[in-house]
């Protein structure tokens, strides 16, 4: 089933490939909307659940726990039911939309964790199904399209703060200058400010239920496209299937040259790749979630930004994030993936070091370096996938394995920063970023050394298609 699905995907015309990719990019926009919605609404969720940074960070880590579950489920589903990838995406978009709409009505942290975990589960399945489609469609040319696919996530992530901003609670600049006017609403709760037992006052109460509803409707609307794709997929696949069940000689050749084994046939090399990528994605996704979820809160708490300016800074990060991923379409085409991933990681490392040195006291440095951070950290995820597929073919199970690492990393990083931020100070946000950057540099150097020693599967193998055509011609199959 998986081989037939792959054969059908690779015989799409260029126009059909581009159109399918555009809709998948739109799907990643939806992922950005329903997963990053908790970043700008973090303080509002604290109000709704009457909790603090530590508890809400643990709750938002539910997304990563669900992502882990989705990755475990999605891999076998995609490998066994390859013809139903479009249906998987459609159903998961609808499920994520429903979970998103319910989130702001949660009155306790446990229920919030469950709903975010449910959304993360749907996200995990979408990730595996969508990325597998891209890899099947574009084959060795998948690096650029993979970056564009994940560019959609950045698009959704920088749009969501703007949709939500009118519905966020607005904190009073100072309780001393509060005046009793008709348009002032106070919302008392124990302040999350470290070491404080004061009650904070709000000029505008939280109305994030409306914002979450808008996001849910937008996400659900995109699922229609993939229901349509699923209805017509079997007919298209049947018309364009290259391999016939009776073509046994061709099937044997496919099996022999199947790059599901590793470049140069070294299985130990494959083990090394997957172990390193598991740790790579653990750290990469963890750092990604860390910055995206906490940059607004850090700007408000440490630098005394207003709520609007905090949202604007958060938006700046995601705009730069989207630009970084979009440029991957061009850099991935002209720069070898082994070189590209080094440039991205060292750019991230330099940015984090500068953040640690200057951004603790300088608002300007925080603004400038947040843009740089978004730009360099954005392509690390798709570059990791592209680097892995360059050396070992990424089946559904392979994508599952590395995404499990990312899910565990996202959950772990948020648990750690929630505790450190609440009890040891706001600057722990920057300190944890330094640890993240150092580990990323080490892992990328290890990946480069291992990859250089063994070479890529597209470099070391004769094209599968050419082999099939040659053998078929010699045996007069066609």
């Amino acid at each position: 089933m998986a081989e037939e699905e792959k054969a059908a995907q690779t015989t799409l015309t260029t126009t059909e490939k581009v159109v399918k990719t555009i809709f998948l990019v739109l799907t990643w926009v939806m992922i950005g909307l329903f997963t990053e919605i908790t970043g700008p609404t973090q303080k509002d969720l604290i109000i709704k659940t009457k909790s603090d940074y530590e508890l809400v960070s643990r709750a938002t880590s539910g997304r990563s726990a669900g992502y882990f579950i989705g990755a475990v489920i999605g891999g076998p589903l995609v490998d066994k039911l390859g013809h139903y990838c479009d249906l998987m995406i459609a159903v998961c978009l609808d499920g994520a939309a429903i979970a998103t709409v319910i989130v702001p009505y949660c009155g306790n942290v446990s229920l919030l964790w469950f709903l975010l975990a449910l959304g993360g589960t749907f996200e995990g399945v979408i990730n595996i199904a969508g990325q597998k489609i891209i890899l099947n469609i574009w084959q060795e040319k998948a690096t650029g399209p993979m970056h564009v696919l994940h560019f959609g996530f950045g698009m959704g992530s920088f749009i969501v703060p703007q949709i939500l901003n009118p519905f966020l609670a607005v904190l009073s600049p100072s309780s001393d200058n509060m005046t009793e006017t008709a348009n002032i609403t106070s919302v008392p709760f124990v302040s999350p400010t470290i070491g404080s037992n004061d009650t904070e006052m709000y000029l505008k109460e939280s109305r994030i239920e409306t914002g979450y509803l808008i996001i849910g409707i937008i996400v659900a609307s995109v699922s229609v496209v993939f229901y349509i794709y699923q209805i017509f997929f079997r007919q298209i696949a049947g018309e364009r299937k290259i391999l016939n069940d009776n073509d046994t000689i061709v099937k044997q050749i496919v099996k022999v040259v199947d790059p599901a084994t590793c470049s140069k046939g070294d299985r130990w090399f494959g083990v090394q790749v997957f172990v390193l990528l598991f740790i790579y994605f653990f750290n990469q996704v963890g750092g990604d979630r860390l910055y995206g979820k906490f940059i607004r809160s850090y700007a408000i708490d440490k630098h005394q930004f207003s709520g609007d300016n905090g949202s604007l800074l958060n938006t700046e990060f995601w705009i730069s994030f989207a630009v970084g991923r979009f440029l991957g379409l061009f850099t991935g085409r002209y720069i070898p993936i082994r070189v590209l991933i080094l440039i991205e990681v060292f750019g991230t490392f330099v940015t984090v070091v500068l953040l640690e040195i200057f951004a603790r006291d300088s608002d300007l440095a925080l603004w400038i370096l947040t843009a740089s951070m978004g730009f360099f950290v954005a392509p690390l995820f798709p570059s990791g996938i592209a680097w892995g597929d360059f050396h070992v073919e990424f089946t559904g199970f392979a994508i599952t394995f590395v995404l499990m690492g990312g899910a565990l990393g996202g959950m772990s990083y948020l648990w750690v920063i929630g505790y450190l931020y609440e009890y040891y100070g706001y600057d722990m946000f920057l300190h944890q970023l330094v640890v993240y950057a150092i580990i990323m540099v080490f892992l990328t150097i290890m990946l480069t050394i291992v990859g250089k020693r063994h070479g890529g599967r597209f470099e070391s193998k004769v094209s599968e298609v050419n082999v099939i055509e040659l053998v078929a011609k010699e045996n007069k199959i066609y």
Side-chain angles (χ1 to χ4, degrees):
M1 186 70 72
E3 289 181 356
E4 293 175 1
E5 187 262 346
K6 182 176 179 178
Q9 295 281 15
T10 54
T11 55
L12 295 175
T13 66
T14 300
T15 300
E16 290 169 336
K17 290 180 181 179
V18 170
V19 171
K20 187 68 175 282
T21 301
I22 289 173
F23 282 122
L24 286 170
V25 171
L26 187 59
T27 301
W28 257 248
V29 174
M30 298 303 104
I31 293 177
L33 288 177
F34 75 77
T35 60
E36 294 306 321
I37 196 170
T38 54
T41 60
Q42 186 179 57
K43 284 183 171 291
D44 296 74
L45 293 175
I46 290 173
I47 298 171
K48 297 289 184 182
T49 57
K50 298 180 176 63
S51 58
D52 55 29
Y53 280 114
E54 182 185 13
L55 294 177
V56 167
S57 293
R58 289 184 181 183
T60 54
S61 73
R63 173 198 168 189
S64 296
Y67 193 69
F68 182 92
I69 297 171
V72 172
I73 295 172
L77 282 177
V78 169
D79 282 344
K80 298 295 183 182
L81 303 172
H83 279 319
Y84 296 97
C85 283
D86 295 309
L87 181 61
M88 293 177 203
I89 293 173
V91 171
C92 288
L93 284 173
D94 286 336
I98 293 171
T100 299
V101 172
I102 300 174
V103 163
Y105 296 97
C106 295
N108 64 77
V109 173
S110 297
L111 182 57
L112 178 62
W113 185 95
F114 173 77
L115 287 171
L116 294 177
L118 189 61
T121 301
F122 292 128
E123 178 197 0
V125 176
I126 294 172
N127 248 290
I128 294 176
Q131 289 182 113
K132 185 59 180 173
I133 291 173
I134 288 292
L135 293 174
N136 283 349
I137 287 176
W138 296 101
Q139 297 290 295
E140 70 274 11
K141 299 178 181 179
T143 299
M146 185 64 72
H147 278 81
V148 174
L149 178 71
H150 289 276
F151 157 76
F153 177 83
M155 287 283 292
S157 298
F158 83 71
I159 292 172
V160 72
Q162 305 313 307
I163 296 175
L164 292 169
N165 199 49
F167 310 106
L168 300 179
V170 177
L171 180 66
S172 171
S174 173
S175 58
D176 297 332
N177 58 19
M178 288 288 293
T179 58
E180 294 183 6
T181 59
N183 65 339
I184 293 181
T185 304
S186 64
V187 183
F189 79 105
V190 177
S191 172
T193 304
I194 300 168
S196 173
N197 293 318
D198 297 335
T199 297
E200 292 189 339
M201 307 298 288
Y202 286 82
L203 296 176
K204 187 175 70 173
E205 66 180 1
S206 174
R207 296 182 294 112
I208 58 173
E209 294 86 353
T210 304
Y212 274 68
L213 176 62
I214 293 172
I215 298 299
I217 293 172
I218 295 173
V219 171
S221 66
V222 177
S223 68
V224 176
V225 175
F226 290 92
Y227 284 119
I228 294 173
Y229 261 116
Q230 185 61 50
I231 292 172
F232 294 104
F233 176 79
R234 287 198 172 194
Q235 178 182 352
I236 295 172
E239 292 173 353
R240 297 185 175 179
K241 187 168 60 175
I242 297 177
L243 303 177
N244 187 277
D245 290 340
N246 296 323
D247 295 341
T248 55
I249 295 177
V250 177
K251 281 193 168 186
Q252 290 301 316
I253 294 299
V254 172
K255 186 175 181 180
V256 170
V257 301
D258 184 3
T261 56
C262 316
S263 61
K264 299 185 179 179
D266 187 346
R267 292 185 181 278
W268 172 241
F269 168 65
V271 173
Q272 292 176 309
V273 167
F274 282 118
V275 170
L276 285 173
L277 284 178
F278 183 91
I279 304 172
Y280 172 93
F281 280 102
F282 178 97
N283 195 61
Q284 190 278 320
V285 174
D288 192 23
R289 300 274 168 85
L290 169 65
Y291 207 93
K293 299 297 185 185
F294 267 83
I295 183 58
R296 182 178 185 270
S297 295
Y298 177 77
I300 293 173
D301 294 333
K302 177 64 188 288
H303 289 262
Q304 301 299 306
F305 278 26
S306 67
D308 287 344
N309 283 340
S311 295
L312 188 60
L313 182 68
N314 188 240
T315 301
E316 179 201 34
F317 171 74
W318 289 115
I319 289 176
S320 303
F321 191 95
V323 171
R325 286 195 168 174
F326 181 75
L327 289 180
L329 173 64
F330 307 101
T331 56
R333 184 174 182 179
Y334 298 107
I335 302 176
I337 187 61
R338 295 191 191 115
V339 177
L340 184 61
I341 198 170
L342 284 170
I343 294 173
E344 294 162 356
V345 167
F346 278 97
T348 301
F349 177 77
V350 171
T351 300
V352 168
V353 171
L354 294 176
L355 277 166
E356 175 70 20
I357 296 173
F358 299 109
R360 280 187 284 179
D361 302 312
S362 171
D363 292 354
L364 180 61
L366 186 63
W367 280 103
I368 295 174
L369 294 172
T370 290
S372 176
M373 186 68 177
F375 180 82
F376 283 110
V377 79
L380 290 178
F381 187 97
S383 288
I385 294 290
W387 187 96
D389 191 63
F390 182 78
H391 295 89
V392 180
E393 185 186 17
F394 263 37
T395 61
F397 177 78
I399 298 175
T400 291
F401 185 75
V402 298
L403 291 188
M404 285 167 58
L408 290 174
M411 183 167 54
S412 301
Y413 264 73
L414 288 178
W415 274 61
V416 171
I417 187 58
Y419 177 80
L420 296 177
Y421 195 87
E422 183 70 28
Y423 295 108
Y424 289 94
Y426 305 133
D427 285 334
M428 294 307 299
F429 169 69
L430 297 180
H431 301 338
Q432 191 170 341
L433 281 174
V434 172
V435 175
Y436 153 78
I438 291 172
I439 296 174
M440 284 302 298
V441 170
F442 173 76
L443 289 173
T444 306
I445 291 174
M446 291 297 296
L447 285 172
T448 302
I449 293 172
V450 170
K452 189 67 175 177
R453 288 175 57 190
H454 291 266
R457 65 187 179 96
F458 297 113
E459 296 173 336
S460 59
K461 289 184 179 291
V462 179
S463 168
E464 176 182 324
V465 175
N466 290 340
V467 173
I468 293 174
E469 291 178 350
L470 178 61
V471 175
K473 182 177 180 180
E474 290 178 352
N475 289 275
K476 298 181 180 180
I477 294 176
Y478 299 115

